[in-house]
Amino acid sequence: MLFFKECKKILFSLTFVIYIVAVVGFNFTQFNPDADRKISPPTPEQADYGTIAKEVPEILIPNATEGLVKEYLRGYYKAYPVGFYKEVKLSSKKSAQIAEIITEISGITKQELDNFSDFQDGGMIMQPDGNGGFVPVMQEAVLPEINIPDTITYEHFRDLMRKADKIIGGGSDYSDNNIVGNFSQVPKTYEDALAEYNAIIDKDKITGAYARLFCDYIGIIVAVLPVFLSASLANADKKSRMEHLIYSRKISSSKLILTRFSALVTMMFIPVMILAFIASFNVSGIYKGNDVDFLAIPKMSVYWLLPNILFTTALGMAITEITSQLMAVFVSGVIWFTDVMVNVELTGGIRNFSLVCRHNSLYKRDVFINSMNQFVFSRIFYTVLAFAIIALTVWVYSEKRKGGLNVVRKNIIRKSET
């Protein structure tokens, strides 16, 4: 059977061995240390419970205003208009409209903003440590003095923020979906922490929290590694001149491509599922006597990680067939690197088009739930896109077999005539 032949070919390939070593190594070095930590209930005497997003006008208004002033002075605005990160640079007319909003909130005029020469963005910078090296230091932003009058009501302020978001193009930090999470983080109370712990125990059945962390780590690596295997498989055929033999056979292009795609996805997903079950065993062992969902990690791996493997495998096969293996690796690597670098929020940064979904915490269940619509959309999007790409690959492969896109078939016909 062709499927098992393809699986066998993959199983004994060096690239597959490297894939397994990389996935297993990433799991043991990244996930396992966190998985060994037991989630404990909070105690009233704890000094710090972390932070939580709450709509507190007294915190949100000055923070959001400061954010808008900072972006105006910086000259561009961070936004995710369709799920992808974008640096929005406004026209003079739209920039003046943002300045009007800032003036209405703070009294700072456009002229004062434009003439402010001491602006510093703030954030993490590297400074000399005196020993020839550098250390990271948090630098405060330098901004004009912001004084918000008591006459600004919270409702009117939110309307102004919606107006600013519309001017920027949507998906900015000031949209209804993002403004509270970005500008109103408050310290958790004991009651907040206890409610979060109870949700993990009762709703996540404990393993749900570890499932998110497992998929966070493994999702990073399985969003890029499959391209190497799919590209190397096609390259092996070319080196062994199997391409000529395959082109001369009567097997349909769709059967051949779909079988290879299925074999690649199956073989690469098996190690992930094995690790998922191992993680379930380990976590269940830590929480003996608790009501745990043993299948939570494997189930979440299916709908979180499988789309990554499907998409990256399909992309690798398509680009390899159209151009070359090197180009397939390059394009897939650029997509992966851009997605990982743009999605700097390790929790709560899931967008509609996030390839690598992040939730690097055993906690913050509410943050993940609030991103559920974006998470589901991204998983469906990359699954559908993967099969669309495979359909394109079938067409390209079929055209090449007919001689429309290369000369391999023509060479076969010429040799058979002579």
Side-chain angles (χ1 to χ4, degrees):
M1 188 178 178
L2 184 58
F3 174 78
F4 291 108
K5 288 182 179 179
E6 290 291 320
C7 289
K8 183 178 179 181
K9 186 190 301 183
I10 295 166
L11 180 63
F12 291 102
S13 67
L14 176 61
T15 313
F16 182 62
V17 174
I18 295 173
Y19 169 84
I20 293 177
V21 170
V23 172
V24 172
F26 204 76
N27 175 74
F28 277 94
T29 59
Q30 303 299 315
F31 171 72
N32 275 15
D34 288 337
D36 290 337
R37 292 189 292 113
K38 187 173 182 178
I39 299 174
S40 301
T43 57
E45 64 272 10
Q46 279 182 230
D48 181 28
Y49 300 102
T51 62
I52 189 172
K54 282 188 176 181
E55 192 171 4
V56 182
E58 294 78 9
I59 296 174
L60 190 150
I61 292 176
N63 286 348
T65 304
E66 182 179 300
L68 191 61
V69 170
K70 183 188 297 185
E71 293 199 301
Y72 178 88
L73 294 174
R74 190 170 59 193
Y76 65 87
Y77 302 80
K78 182 179 69 175
Y80 296 83
V82 289
F84 291 108
Y85 173 80
K86 183 180 180 181
E87 290 182 357
V88 180
K89 294 185 178 181
L90 300 179
S91 64
S92 298
K93 180 180 178 180
K94 290 186 175 181
S95 184
Q97 292 173 342
I98 294 292
E100 289 176 4
I101 293 173
I102 294 173
T103 301
E104 185 172 352
I105 296 172
S106 67
I108 304 173
T109 65
K110 183 177 186 303
Q111 184 178 6
E112 290 173 330
L113 288 169
D114 294 341
N115 291 335
F116 187 75
S117 58
D118 296 329
F119 170 68
Q120 290 185 16
D121 199 353
M124 195 69 69
I125 63 170
M126 302 301 292
Q127 289 188 348
D129 61 3
N131 298 317
F134 293 86
V135 292
V137 177
M138 180 61 71
Q139 184 182 63
E140 292 292 330
V142 179
L143 303 171
E145 185 177 353
I146 299 172
N147 295 307
I148 301 170
D150 295 335
T151 54
I152 294 288
T153 66
Y154 181 63
E155 292 73 18
H156 182 52
F157 175 82
R158 289 297 299 270
D159 286 339
L160 291 173
M161 291 295 101
R162 293 184 189 100
K163 182 179 178 181
D165 177 65
K166 186 176 180 180
I167 293 169
I168 294 168
S172 72
D173 287 347
Y174 316 100
S175 67
D176 284 343
N177 290 334
N178 298 331
I179 192 167
V180 175
N182 284 322
F183 300 113
S184 191
Q185 293 285 336
V186 300
K188 283 181 187 175
T189 64
Y190 168 70
E191 289 73 21
D192 292 330
L194 184 61
E196 181 181 43
Y197 173 78
N198 289 333
I200 292 173
I201 299 298
D202 300 331
K203 297 178 180 179
D204 277 337
K205 301 299 181 184
I206 300 173
T207 45
Y210 289 88
R212 289 189 292 271
L213 189 63
F214 175 83
C215 292
D216 169 82
Y217 281 125
I218 302 301
I220 297 172
I221 199 164
V222 299
V224 66
L225 284 186
V227 70
F228 293 95
L229 192 55
S230 60
S232 67
L233 195 63
N235 189 50
D237 280 348
K238 289 185 177 182
K239 285 185 176 180
S240 62
R241 304 184 67 81
M242 282 294 293
E243 189 178 55
H244 295 268
L245 180 60
I246 292 172
Y247 279 179
S248 65
R249 294 279 178 88
K250 292 183 178 180
I251 183 174
S252 68
S253 297
S254 59
K255 181 178 180 181
L256 183 62
I257 295 299
L258 289 175
T259 300
R260 172 164 293 180
F261 177 63
S262 301
L264 281 165
V265 171
T266 300
M267 293 300 291
M268 285 188 283
F269 195 54
I270 286 175
V272 173
M273 289 302 288
I274 292 174
L275 290 175
F277 276 104
I278 291 174
S280 292
F281 275 112
N282 291 340
V283 174
S284 299
I286 295 173
Y287 293 91
K288 286 181 180 179
N290 290 89
D291 182 18
V292 300
D293 180 3
F294 180 79
L295 295 178
I297 301 177
K299 286 188 298 185
M300 189 167 284
S301 298
V302 172
Y303 54 78
W304 188 319
L305 302 178
L306 187 56
N308 287 7
I309 296 176
L310 287 169
F311 170 72
T312 309
T313 302
L315 187 67
M317 290 180 66
I319 297 179
T320 300
E321 201 59 51
I322 296 170
T323 56
S324 66
Q325 292 77 35
L326 183 61
M327 183 58 67
V329 172
F330 174 76
V331 172
S332 184
V334 168
I335 292 173
W336 173 83
F337 181 80
T338 302
D339 191 81
V340 171
M341 291 298 102
V342 164
N343 192 11
V344 295
E345 297 176 73
L346 299 186
T347 55
I350 299 174
R351 312 288 176 180
N352 283 340
F353 297 97
S354 294
L355 173 61
V356 182
C357 296
R358 300 303 310 272
H359 191 87
N360 192 247
S361 174
L362 289 172
Y363 300 91
K364 299 187 178 181
R365 181 182 185 274
D366 59 319
V367 174
F368 180 76
I369 297 301
N370 290 338
S371 302
M372 184 58 70
N373 289 340
Q374 292 85 350
F375 173 79
V376 172
F377 181 92
S378 74
R379 300 303 84 192
I380 294 174
F381 173 79
Y382 282 105
T383 299
V384 172
L385 184 58
F387 285 103
I389 293 172
I390 282 298
L392 173 64
T393 308
V394 170
W395 178 81
V396 170
Y397 198 80
S398 179
E399 289 299 308
K400 290 176 73 172
R401 293 181 74 177
K402 295 175 185 177
L405 297 179
N406 64 18
V407 297
V408 175
R409 179 175 167 81
K410 293 179 181 178
N411 290 340
I412 295 173
I413 294 174
R414 189 181 297 115
K415 288 181 180 179
S416 63
E417 288 177 347
T418 57

